[in-house]
Amino acid sequence: MASGCANSLAYQFYSQGINHANYRTSPFFHKPTYKISFRTEKEKGVSHAMCCFKNGGELLQNFKAEERKMRKKAGKKEHHLWKKRDSTGSGQKALNVIRILSELPNEKEAVYGALDKWIAWETEFPLIAAAKALRTLRKRNQWHRVIQLAKWMLSKGQGATMGTYDELLMAFDMDDRVDEAESLWNMILHVHTRSISKQLFSRMISLYDHHDSQDKIVEVFADMEELGVRPDEDTTRKVARAFQKLGQEDRQKLVLKRYQCTWKYIHFKGERVRVRTKPWDEDD
């Protein structure tokens, strides 16, 4: 009977939704009762939200980081007088300067004046556009225009690079202006002694080989050896041929032995085969 009454009272407490009812002692139970807790739907929703917050904490942190970045971007903008060098539109600028040069006579004053007008409203020197114009003029074999444009760039203190020097030396070679090429080469040797590229040495040796100047080839080759620049295969053959024409067969063999590749690759029956090059000194 007592057990039935206790069960009915407990059922009444549960049905009434009593929360956090704490009964230390009970006349219907011989053992002390435990703490009974009933959560409402609102409390369950809060608990579920806390669980979602823990699981999605990383997502929330990422969202806050993005929000901070947006606040920084929305700050005060900086204004600069000089724009950064950009290649956007450089191709069209190169075509414009080529068109301008094609309409001018071969007079230095006219060419330089037109080029000065070309950059009059530029915030910085259009170096990328000028370099593209040089390459285009070279492909069209307009060597005189290449010389004019490159010289104008150097007079402005722009484009003093190994690439510009190479373009100018090649234009001097093709336009038969060896004296100007020698003047430029001497300047390069004096100013850029330790930073002259192998390509420039090869270009100068090709120029002298084209104009049949064996003594000059030997001089440039001596500068290469002094600076520790190793010639490529084509340059080695030109230097050896220069020694041969000068009647110095011993130096010819020495150059080929020192700098010519011992092995080379050829295509034989559809395969790439490694073969030994022809020895020049059988005694060694």
Side-chain angles (χ1 to χ4, degrees):
M1 181 71 182
S3 176
C5 292
N7 292 335
S8 61
L9 287 174
Y11 177 76
Q12 290 179 6
F13 291 147
Y14 179 79
S15 61
Q16 293 175 2
I18 299 176
N19 300 322
H20 305 289
N22 189 7
Y23 297 95
R24 299 295 181 182
T25 57
S26 175
F28 302 102
F29 293 93
H30 297 285
K31 296 182 180 180
T33 59
Y34 298 98
K35 184 177 180 179
I36 303 174
S37 176
F38 300 102
R39 296 185 299 177
T40 61
E41 294 297 330
K42 182 178 180 180
E43 291 174 338
K44 291 180 181 180
V46 172
S47 177
H48 178 70
M50 292 298 293
C51 181
C52 293
F53 174 77
K54 292 180 181 179
N55 294 334
E58 184 178 358
L59 183 63
L60 184 60
Q61 290 178 358
N62 295 337
F63 175 76
K64 290 182 177 180
E66 293 294 333
E67 186 178 5
R68 285 194 296 269
K69 290 181 181 179
M70 294 298 294
R71 288 177 181 176
K72 290 182 179 179
K73 290 182 179 180
K76 185 178 179 180
K77 295 182 180 180
E78 296 182 1
H79 299 277
H80 299 278
L81 178 62
W82 298 100
K83 296 181 180 179
K84 295 182 179 179
R85 181 173 289 120
D86 192 359
S87 61
T88 305
S90 59
Q92 186 61 41
K93 290 181 180 180
L95 293 177
N96 289 337
V97 72
I98 292 172
R99 178 183 54 80
I100 292 172
L101 291 175
S102 63
E103 298 173 355
L104 296 175
N106 291 330
E107 297 178 359
K108 178 180 177 180
E109 292 77 12
V111 172
Y112 279 30
L115 291 174
D116 290 338
K117 292 180 181 179
W118 178 56
I119 64 169
W121 297 101
E122 295 288 340
T123 56
E124 66 176 5
F125 190 87
L127 188 59
I128 299 177
K132 289 183 178 180
L134 279 176
R135 289 195 295 268
T136 304
L137 291 171
R138 174 182 173 179
K139 291 179 181 178
R140 296 180 181 181
N141 296 329
Q142 298 181 8
W143 306 112
H144 192 68
R145 296 303 187 188
V146 170
I147 294 171
Q148 290 174 336
L149 180 57
K151 280 187 172 183
W152 172 77
M153 291 171 60
L154 295 175
S155 69
K156 296 296 182 181
Q158 301 290 334
T161 62
M162 296 298 162
T164 305
Y165 293 147
D166 183 65
E167 297 277 357
L168 192 51
L169 286 174
M170 184 175 184
F172 283 144
D173 181 16
M174 303 306 293
D175 205 35
D176 293 329
R177 299 163 71 168
V178 181
D179 294 337
E180 294 185 53
E182 287 182 345
S183 300
L184 177 62
W185 178 248
N186 292 330
M187 184 276 294
I188 295 172
L189 281 177
H190 179 72
V191 178
H192 308 281
T193 305
R194 295 292 175 181
S195 59
I196 302 177
S197 64
K198 182 190 300 185
Q199 182 179 357
L200 278 187
F201 279 109
S202 300
R203 179 69 63 195
M204 205 61 195
I205 289 177
S206 298
L207 184 147
Y208 286 133
D209 183 70
H210 182 215
H211 294 279
D212 201 23
S213 300
Q214 283 76 30
D215 293 335
K216 299 293 185 180
I217 292 176
V218 173
E219 291 179 5
V220 176
F221 177 68
D223 292 332
M224 290 186 72
E225 284 201 320
E226 184 179 354
L227 296 175
V229 180
R230 184 181 180 86
D232 54 25
E233 191 74 11
D234 185 59
T235 304
T236 300
R237 287 194 296 267
K238 291 176 181 176
V239 173
R241 186 166 57 246
F243 278 121
Q244 183 183 14
K245 290 182 179 181
L246 292 173
Q248 302 178 16
E249 287 78 7
D250 295 338
R251 292 190 177 183
Q252 175 197 8
K253 294 180 180 180
L254 182 61
V255 168
L256 292 172
K257 180 181 177 182
R258 180 178 298 178
Y259 296 111
Q260 192 180 38
C261 296
T262 307
W263 299 89
K264 68 177 180 180
Y265 290 91
I266 63 173
H267 288 275
F268 180 72
K269 294 183 179 180
E271 296 183 0
R272 190 165 176 259
V273 182
R274 185 185 181 209
V275 297
R276 184 183 293 273
T277 57
K278 181 180 178 181
W280 290 91
D281 196 347
E282 297 293 344
D283 295 337
D284 294 340

